Amino acid sequence: MRLLKVATCNLNQWAMDFDCNLKNIKESVAKAKEAGAVIRLGPELEITGYGCEDHFLELDTVNHAWECLKELLVGDWTDGILCSFGMPVIKGSERYNCQIMCLNRKIIMIRPKMWLANDGNYRELRWFTAWKQKDQLVDFQLPSEISEVLQQKSVPFGYGYIQFLDTAVAAEVCEELFTPCPPHAELALNGVEVFMNASGSHHQLRKLDVRLRAFIGATHTRGGVYMYSNHQGCDGGRLYYDGCACVVVNGDLVAQGSQFSLKDVEVVVAQVDLEAVASLRGSISSFQEQASCKTTVSSVMVPHKLCQSFNLKICPSSPLKINYHCPEEEIAYGPGCWLWDYLRRSGASGFLLPLSGGADSSSVAAIVGCMCQLVVKEIANGDEQVKADAVRIGNYTDGQFPTDNREFAKRIFYTVFMGSENSSEATRSRAKVLADEIGSWHLDVPIDGVVSALLSLFQTVTGKRPRYKVDGGSNTENLALQNIQARIRMVLAFMLASLLPWVHDKRGFYLVLGSSNVDEGLRGYLTKYDCSSADINPIGSISKQDLRSFLRWAAVHLGYSSLADIEAAPPTAELEPIRSDYSQLDEVDMGMTYEELSIYGRLRKIFRCGPVSMFKNLCYRWGARLTPSEVAEKVKHFFKYYSINRHKMTVLTPSYHAESYSPEDNRFDLRQFLYNARWPYQFQKIDELVSELDGDKIHLEEPSDHEKLGATSHGGGGMGHGGAGLLRPKSRFSLGADGEQHRAVSDARLAALGGVSGWLGWLYWCAAIDL
């Protein structure tokens, strides 16, 4: 047997805080050595922090990284253990994202990243160059201050692996794993047995399975030990890096770290038997054949042994069942941990939330409550860093510290119900009950006096006083009166956040929390500079559908039972007067359901559909209930209001990134904000398709109950609450129970739909299961 103990880690780094980052790195190395590991892997760009962005363009950032590496190499940190550290390196005139592999106070090799992440939230090509010379390693001249201390002038630089006396080890950096031809395939044929993947991967709902399947697939048919390390926490921006450091051997998970945690350092250790890797490879004929004619990859020879021989006192790690969180847990723990990092690093003394008693603000309140529970639990588990931060933020004295989550919430969390004459007693009561359950310091602040003062001022200036639509006013008056209330709440929220700590003799300030969801942002169903404008928003990239599921879960698992009543209540802004024959409802105001919005959002962003492609797809998806002309009207209605309100995304509160169809304008969803909202060319194309489809019919069977459930169970498809009332059961399209499209239509008709039976048929099913 060749027994090898490896250690990988989750590190809560902070971009540009070199002291913090170096401290965490040292602690992770110390824990790895204490556990007896001979390989230690850290996250991508761990020395600087992954989220430095344009700071990577500064020479200071690169120089400080070398200074930190020097400190690690001068000490005994790398004695007897192969360490892979992530940092930027400048070679010639190019800047590379590199893994520095060190052993016994020497740099063994520098491995630059070859395939850079440059989509979604990632912009690596803005700061780094991809390494393209795969055929050989080149010499890299170390900076003079490093070479003098290490007595080492140069080091191999490029794509290759390290050949030890008893095994071969190589790096594969984050994005490279997900490329069409990942390096590990070629490296495995060259005899590499241990792969080290340093990553900077952020959380997204339901994403973890994709990542773990990649690790498993990398070693299932090729054999190998796959080590994965990741950042964990908020390193200064909208993303939460969700850890989950792990070790996979021959397709089996043998060690897994936490996905969400308040810990700054978590080290995951595994004992592996490399003979199992060799045995698997030797049993696969195709692997042997391909290895015999492989392309040779350059290597660095190191006369050092990493493995131990057979020893009854050392037992290889056994396969584990993969630990997944359900989406509701992800919503609780991901944003909760992100808020804690933001709070402790911002210098603030707590949070202030305008709590309306509705689903969105109540979800934010529950997430803060979850954060308080996590803090108290981590302190009880002995985490001194969390304890020190909590004592400082909560202003504890005389050796006291948080032991009760409600008591801790009372110190750091303010909730404010800002009611008007349009607010119902039900929402006021729900807000108060939830605040009591969480433990927040709750205020009930009436805003009618401020609203009246502004309207009186307007009347003095113009001689006119606007009226609500239910009282005979115009749409313009009605909208203006709603916006006045909404914007007053934003101003009051920031005033209270800055002054309430002073009122209660506390230092610092409170961060104002926003509570608009991703669907409202996509539709623009929010007032610019109202309570959607805040310091940060933990749910700004979460759909209404997922939030409602979260509320039901949190009512039970977080102990906030009032959330069940809040979830059951119909969504309403309560900005218009309530009458016996009229009550304002969000979905009626928007002209679409939240479930429809989620479908529009996924088709627009994930499947890159414009108006015409979206219309074609929805003809199949909604054909059992809508005619083509009705589908066309819905698509036009969405794109009209999406484009009219796109400008609001330019001032959207920084939000936790959680959803793949987020319309966040800062870096994830880059589009114009001034549109021709009539979409004349695209809408004309839709009208032409509708004309061609009218008069002909496609007869398909109604989906079975099982199919309807399958389409909605992942939050991606089907028509849920409110949908049946808005969609008429008049049928021209539907799907058979076997999922096939039973057509009674000419080839010309299919051509009118642009070949929907091909890629759009596939698109239908992908969207239905929320891929």
Side-chain angles (χ1 to χ4, degrees), residues 15 67 79 165 172 188 200 366 392 446 506 528 552 559 562 595 608 682 729 758 761:
E67 291 162 0
D79 289 357
L165 294 176
E172 182 171 70
R392 172 179 53 84
K506 296 181 180 179
K528 202 172 186 178
R552 293 191 294 270
S562 64
E595 188 166 5
R608 298 164 293 280
Q682 294 91 332

Side-chain angles (χ1 to χ4, degrees), residues 147-160:
S147 63
E148 290 174 4
V149 172
L150 301 183
Q151 297 298 301
Q152 181 183 5
K153 292 184 178 180
S154 64
V155 61
F157 186 101
Y159 170 57

Side-chain angles (χ1 to χ4, degrees), residues 95 100 115 228 241 307 325 426 459 519 574 631:
R95 184 183 301 100
I100 317 293
W115 307 109
Y228 172 78
Y241 300 93
C307 302
H325 290 286
Q459 187 172 12
D519 296 323
E574 290 195 335
V631 173

Side-chain angles (χ1 to χ4, degrees), residues 342-457:
Y342 203 102
L343 176 61
R344 69 190 181 111
R345 289 171 171 171
S346 67
S349 300
F351 297 118
L352 183 137
L353 170 68
L355 181 60
S356 68
D360 294 334
S361 61
S362 297
S363 295
V364 174
I367 289 170
V368 177
C370 178
M371 181 203 78
C372 294
Q373 293 182 20
L374 291 173
V375 168
V376 171
K377 180 179 179 180
E378 203 59 45
I379 292 174
N381 290 337
D383 192 311
E384 292 299 323
Q385 183 60 59
V386 174
K387 180 179 177 180
D389 289 332
V391 167
R392 172 179 53 84
I393 296 168
N395 199 28
Y396 288 89
T397 59
D398 301 325
Q400 295 181 321
F401 57 87
T403 57
D404 178 81
N405 55 276
R406 295 184 73 256
E407 186 275 335
F408 183 55
K410 196 79 169 181
R411 289 174 177 261
I412 61 112
F413 188 32
Y414 277 88
T415 52
V416 186
F417 180 85
M418 291 183 271
S420 72
E421 61 183 359
N422 302 320
S423 302
S424 68
E425 192 57 41
T427 53
R428 173 181 277 104
S429 174
R430 286 196 288 264
K432 177 67 168 63
V433 171
L434 177 60
D436 289 342
E437 289 177 342
I438 294 171
S440 66
W441 191 292
H442 187 67
L443 298 174
D444 191 328
V445 180
I447 65 170
D448 290 325
V450 185
V451 173
S452 179
L454 283 174
L455 291 176
S456 296
L457 175 62

Side-chain angles (χ1 to χ4, degrees), residues 560-730:
Y560 308 140
S561 58
S562 64
L563 292 176
D565 292 334
I566 292 171
E567 188 277 331
T572 174
E574 290 195 335
L575 293 172
E576 295 183 66
I578 300 173
R579 298 288 188 264
S580 58
D581 59 345
Y582 177 77
S583 182
Q584 185 180 22
L585 296 174
D586 289 353
E587 292 180 325
V588 175
D589 279 357
M590 293 190 298
M592 60 191 76
T593 68
Y594 281 107
E595 188 166 5
E596 288 174 325
L597 262 174
S598 289
I599 294 171
Y600 298 145
R602 285 181 169 85
L603 290 174
R604 181 196 71 97
K605 178 65 178 176
I606 301 173
F607 297 107
R608 298 164 293 280
C609 285
V612 177
S613 295
M614 186 179 293
F615 164 75
K616 292 177 179 179
N617 178 268
L618 291 177
C619 278
Y620 274 84
R621 175 181 281 245
W622 290 343
R625 301 168 186 262
L626 293 176
T627 65
S629 59
E630 289 169 328
V631 173
E633 288 306 309
K634 282 184 172 293
V635 171
K636 291 178 182 179
H637 185 72
F638 164 71
F639 273 99
K640 172 185 176 181
Y641 284 97
Y642 156 74
S643 53
I644 286 174
N645 290 299
R646 179 67 191 185
H647 66 94
K648 297 177 182 178
M649 297 303 96
T650 63
V651 295
L652 198 67
T653 296
S655 302
Y656 178 99
H657 178 85
E659 181 55 76
S660 54
Y661 69 91
S662 170
E664 183 263 306
D665 181 74
N666 177 264
R667 63 182 297 156
F668 183 71
D669 188 44
L670 305 181
R671 302 168 194 250
Q672 71 206 68
F673 56 87
L674 177 61
Y675 281 89
N676 183 342
R678 294 185 300 275
W679 298 80
Y681 186 88
Q682 294 91 332
F683 287 3
Q684 176 62 32
K685 287 291 181 182
I686 293 176
D687 290 341
E688 291 172 4
L689 285 170
V690 171
S691 296
E692 292 181 46
L693 293 169
D694 278 345
D696 291 321
K697 295 182 180 181
I698 296 179
H699 298 285
L700 303 176
E701 298 175 16
E702 178 71 18
S704 67
D705 291 339
H706 175 73
E707 286 179 308
K708 293 176 182 177
L709 177 62
T712 59
S713 61
H714 296 273
M719 297 308 301
H721 78 282
L726 294 176
L727 301 181
R728 284 191 274 164
K730 186 176 179 181

